[in-house]
Amino acid sequence: MIISQNTLKWVMRLYPPLFFQRIWVQKFDNGFRSCTVKLSKSFLNKNYNGSIFGGTIYAATDPFYALLFDQLLQRQGFKVRVWLKSASIQYLKPGRSTLYFTITITDEMLADAENALKTVGKFVKAYPMEITNKQGELCATVMNEVYVRNLHQGETPRVAY
């Protein structure tokens, strides 16, 4: 389903698994080319050591590459199924304050996906993410492997199905 940037921002903000972990979508930019997310530390996501629970950091990174690729490819006329195939995380520094990350889909990334969907019918690729604190210090790195399946391979793309 194609939706507006503002609508998706509010849907994600109020989505219970993100909302109750204090994961807040700040904005979707440039026609879904990027997304900025904030993880606020609170009693709902604080661990025994007083930092943000690692599972919260991991969960925060889960949906966003898939959402961006889904919205961008639908706007290109593709009927796709998109999800996170795998992920890995490295915790480098405790998240003792609010954490942030931004994901950006480049022209090259989108072109690679479109080419694979037109030729092979699926696209699988891992992309890095960096989670930083307020001071800009790197607290975690994540690799998210995105899986995209063209549901209408071989058909001429249309704007809407």
Side-chain angles (χ1 to χ4, degrees):
M1 169 173 38
I2 295 176
I3 60 175
S4 74
Q5 292 172 197
N6 194 48
T7 300
L8 185 56
K9 175 183 74 175
W10 280 101
V11 166
M12 297 305 291
R13 283 179 174 182
L14 299 175
Y15 182 53
L18 301 182
F19 179 79
F20 288 110
Q21 292 189 68
R22 307 283 287 146
I23 300 166
W24 192 255
V25 176
Q26 290 187 302
K27 61 184 173 180
F28 287 101
D29 270 336
N30 304 323
F32 289 103
R33 287 298 186 112
S34 70
C35 177
T36 303
V37 178
K38 176 174 88 169
L39 290 83
S40 299
K41 182 178 141 186
S42 80
F43 76 94
L44 294 173
N45 64 16
K46 188 168 69 168
N47 67 19
Y48 176 76
N49 295 314
S51 61
I52 296 176
F53 176 61
T56 297
I57 299 169
Y58 202 61
T61 66
D62 182 280
F64 295 104
Y65 270 117
L67 285 171
L68 293 177
F69 272 108
D70 181 63
Q71 289 299 309
L72 288 167
L73 291 167
Q74 283 190 67
R75 284 167 170 72
Q76 296 296 324
F78 289 95
K79 173 89 171 171
V80 292
R81 178 85 60 227
V82 185
W83 66 83
L84 180 67
K85 185 175 182 184
S86 68
S88 63
I89 190 166
Q90 289 187 328
Y91 302 102
L92 305 171
K93 185 174 187 140
R96 299 201 186 281
S97 64
T98 300
L99 300 177
Y100 303 88
F101 65 90
T102 299
I103 297 172
T104 302
I105 305 292
T106 65
D107 290 338
E108 181 182 348
M109 292 164 68
L110 189 57
D112 287 346
E114 288 176 8
N115 184 49
L117 292 174
K118 289 176 183 174
T119 57
V120 183
K122 70 177 180 178
F123 174 72
V124 181
K125 189 158 184 181
Y127 295 105
M129 302 168 71
E130 294 184 339
I131 293 95
T132 59
N133 61 18
K134 288 180 183 180
Q135 294 75 34
E137 299 169 316
L138 188 61
C139 293
T141 60
V142 179
M143 283 298 288
N144 278 358
E145 186 178 30
V146 179
Y147 178 95
V148 183
R149 165 76 60 194
N150 185 353
L151 298 178
H152 291 281
Q153 184 180 5
E155 292 182 11
T156 304
R158 300 183 318 209
V159 174
Y161 281 92

